[in-house]
Every structure is written in C-alpha cells, then in structure tokens.
Amino acid sequence: MSVLVFGHKSPDTDSTGAPIIWAWYLNHILKTDAEPVLLGKPNSEALFMLDYWGIDMPRIIDNLDNGSSVVVVDTNNPDELPDNINDCDILSIIDHHKLVGGLETNYPIDVIIRPLACTATVMIEIMGENLNEMPCRIKGAALSCILSDTLGFRSPTTTDLDRSTAQKLAEDLKIDVQNFASELFKAKSDVSKYTDPELILMDSKKYDVGGKKLRISVMETTQPQEILGRKKSLLKAMKDIEAEEGVDQILFFVIDILKQEAILFVPNKLVKEIAEKSFGTSCVEDTTILPGILSRKKQIIPQLKV
C-alpha cells in the first residue's frame, strides 16, 4: 500500500506542492511507493500552480484508515490533521513551523523542522544533488511554494536560503521570478469562486492565547478591496463559524502584499482590545490597518495578547 504524503487541512500552495515534491522524491529517488494527497480543496493560487506546471491535482481525502503509512509535511499540529492521525503509522515529519506537540509515533522517526520560510526549501536542502534529477514540473511546484510562502521575498520569514533556492530553481526553469510571482499573486487574489466560510477558513489556524480559543485567518492578496467589499457577509460568516466550532473569536487579517500591511476586521470589543494590546493600534472603526504586518507565524502570533 502506498505511503500517503499530505500537509494541513485547507491546503495552500505549500501544503499542495510539498506533498507532490516529497512523493516524487520517495518514488523516484528512495524507490518507495508514495502518493501525494490533499486534506481539502486547494486555494486559487495552488490550483493555478497545478495548472501552470501541468500537474494533476492529487486526490482529496476526507479520512484515513487506521494503520495507514503517512508522511506529514508543512505542519506538525494535530488540529490541522485528520482526527485519527495518531492511529496511523507516521513515518516522518517535514516542516518549517514551531513544534506544537501531540503527534504520536510507533517508533523513532525523522522529524525535520528547519527555520526556513517554506517546506519546499527544507525539502530541496534535504535532497541535495538529487535536485538535478527533478523534472521541471516538480521544480516549478517548489518555486511556486517558495514564492508563495515568502510573498515574493517580502515576508520577514524569508531567509537567504529560501531566496537562493528560488533563484536556482528559476534559473533551471528559465523563468523570471518577479513576473511569475506576480502571476501567482494575481491567482491568489481571485476569490470570486469562494464562499465566505471558505475564504475565512482558506488559510486559518487555531491557537490558545491567554485562555481564549482563537482562530487566526489570513487572506493574502494584491486586491484587498475585493475582500473588504464582502465585509458585511464575512463578519456574519465569522460569527457562524465561531458558534459552530466553539472558538471565542476569529481574527481575520487581510494581507495587502503590495502595500505590505495587514487590515484586521474589528467586529467587537474583544478584537478591539486584542488589537490595541497586541499591535498598539487605535481602533475607531470596524477595520484597522497594521503597517508592516505580513506574517502570521512571525509577526501576528508572537505578538498576540488577550
């Protein structure tokens, strides 16, 4: 039976591309039968990546059979994985996020978590000279992942290795990095086909902060007005999701890639207090602008105070 390789639920570009990259490595380099799969519908940018590089979309799975052999990539958080993940045979974990805890394995495994902006960069570093055998479509997926996670090298999570890896891939592919990044972000910004709940949950993670259960959602875009124009219905969808999930609050950040700032929805007193304590902003309307805020991982989560 094939090893299943997957990332987190609500897959973005990295959680769509990373399973494809690593499954290729397992199949063609390590001679291990592996299949990339997804834990949900990819976002618009990820779909663009698949189409641009001629990659078949991996099948989407709703659950796992107990005992399945799996490799987890781009997360190590059980809340972002199938409910029975600890009943599976986890073979390895490859990630670039902080260690959360809660995953259990049957025996010692390789857990590779490196302080880089993108899981694809971690994988390319592991592969070393095997990169030379990688076909263009897989290199294209890796480049897409890095440009997405670094916001075209704008994100403060970007490292020199992310940048040099992307440049090397772009040279191999004979592609202009900035032009391709612009195409990716254009695709990311097209949210017209997504419902309000889908948009809120598209890039969203749960955190416990100061005794409050928060869901932190971000939407990266070059066209923030398209999202702000849906503010009324988005706020209603946020309340519905909060009630359904039992979380205290959803914090919804619209990341303006070009202006390099975040727009936070401020629907109530709790969010107003969190925003003022965490970011030193003064909230007088139902949105507030946070200059220079681009990264949930490095700039939002570490600063949150309730």
Side-chain angles (χ1 to χ4, degrees), residues 68-104:
S68 297
S69 295
V70 305
V71 173
V72 176
V73 302
D74 195 34
T75 186
N76 66 85
N77 187 345
D79 286 342
E80 299 173 359
L81 295 166
D83 292 340
N84 67 331
I85 186 64
N86 284 331
D87 295 317
C88 296
D89 185 12
I90 303 174
L91 304 181
S92 60
I93 300 169
I94 306 167
D95 195 13
H96 67 121
H97 298 95
K98 72 174 185 177
L99 184 62
V100 174
L103 292 181
E104 299 178 6

Side-chain angles (χ1 to χ4, degrees), residues 6 15 37 46 75-77 115 117 133 141 159-160 207 284 304 306:
F6 51 80
S15 252
V37 294
T75 186
N76 66 85
N77 187 345
E133 299 183 40
T159 68
D160 289 342
Y207 298 88
V284 295
L304 285 183
V306 176

Side-chain angles (χ1 to χ4, degrees), residues 44-305:
S44 54
E45 183 186 65
L47 290 172
F48 170 82
M49 171 193 69
L50 295 173
D51 181 66
Y52 188 97
W53 297 109
I55 301 171
D56 292 335
M57 188 173 79
R59 66 186 176 100
I60 298 174
I61 62 172
D62 296 322
N63 50 61
L64 291 167
D65 293 331
N66 288 349
S68 297
S69 295
V70 305
V71 173
V72 176
V73 302
D74 195 34
T75 186
N76 66 85
N77 187 345
D79 286 342
E80 299 173 359
L81 295 166
D83 292 340
N84 67 331
I85 186 64
N86 284 331
D87 295 317
C88 296
D89 185 12
I90 303 174
L91 304 181
S92 60
I93 300 169
I94 306 167
D95 195 13
H96 67 121
H97 298 95
K98 72 174 185 177
L99 184 62
V100 174
L103 292 181
E104 299 178 6
T105 63
N106 295 327
Y107 40 78
I109 65 168
D110 285 327
V111 178
I112 304 171
I113 302 176
R114 295 182 180 170
L116 299 169
C118 181
T119 308
T121 309
V122 179
M123 292 177 171
I124 296 297
E125 187 180 27
I126 294 169
M127 291 179 189
E129 293 185 359
N130 291 309
L131 176 63
N132 297 327
E133 299 183 40
M134 185 180 286
C136 287
R137 70 181 188 282
I138 307 299
K139 288 183 179 180
L143 176 61
S144 303
C145 292
I146 298 171
L147 292 177
S148 176
D149 268 13
T150 64
L151 297 179
F153 311 136
R154 295 176 179 86
S155 172
T157 62
T158 307
T159 68
D160 289 342
L161 185 58
D162 292 298
R163 188 176 286 103
S164 63
T165 301
Q167 295 289 359
K168 172 66 169 60
L169 291 167
E171 289 173 9
D172 290 349
L173 294 165
K174 295 179 173 57
I175 193 170
D176 181 271
V177 167
Q178 294 306 324
N179 287 343
F180 181 61
S182 294
E183 292 188 64
L184 277 174
F185 301 149
K186 181 179 178 181
K188 186 197 294 268
S189 302
D190 181 6
V191 297
S192 59
K193 296 179 181 178
Y194 292 87
T195 66
D196 292 326
E198 285 175 335
L199 197 153
I200 292 165
L201 297 174
M202 188 177 294
D203 190 355
S204 185
K205 298 181 180 181
K206 293 180 182 178
Y207 298 88
D208 290 331
V209 181
K212 295 289 186 181
K213 295 180 179 179
L214 304 179
R215 177 178 278 283
I216 315 300
S217 299
V218 300
M219 183 65 220
E220 299 162 348
T221 181
T222 58
Q223 302 172 45
Q225 291 307 317
E226 288 195 14
I227 300 167
L228 295 176
R230 296 167 59 174
K231 181 171 60 179
K232 184 177 180 180
S233 60
L234 285 167
L235 289 172
K236 181 183 183 303
M238 285 167 57
K239 292 184 69 173
D240 292 342
I241 294 170
E242 288 162 3
E244 182 180 340
E245 294 189 339
V247 298
D248 293 299
Q249 186 64 56
I250 293 174
L251 300 183
F252 186 64
F253 296 81
V254 180
I255 306 295
D256 188 327
I257 298 171
L258 299 182
K259 288 187 177 180
Q260 299 188 46
E261 63 185 22
I263 303 163
L264 171 64
F265 283 18
V266 186
N268 54 42
K269 184 179 178 181
L270 175 58
V271 179
K272 180 177 185 293
E273 291 176 350
I274 292 174
E276 292 178 347
K277 288 179 183 178
S278 303
F279 305 105
T281 186
S282 178
C283 301
V284 295
E285 299 181 357
D286 57 5
T287 60
T288 188
I289 295 175
L290 306 174
I293 299 294
L294 293 171
S295 169
R296 175 175 48 205
K297 181 171 66 175
K298 196 164 185 176
Q299 294 176 304
I300 295 176
I301 300 304
Q303 292 183 221
L304 285 183
K305 299 179 182 67

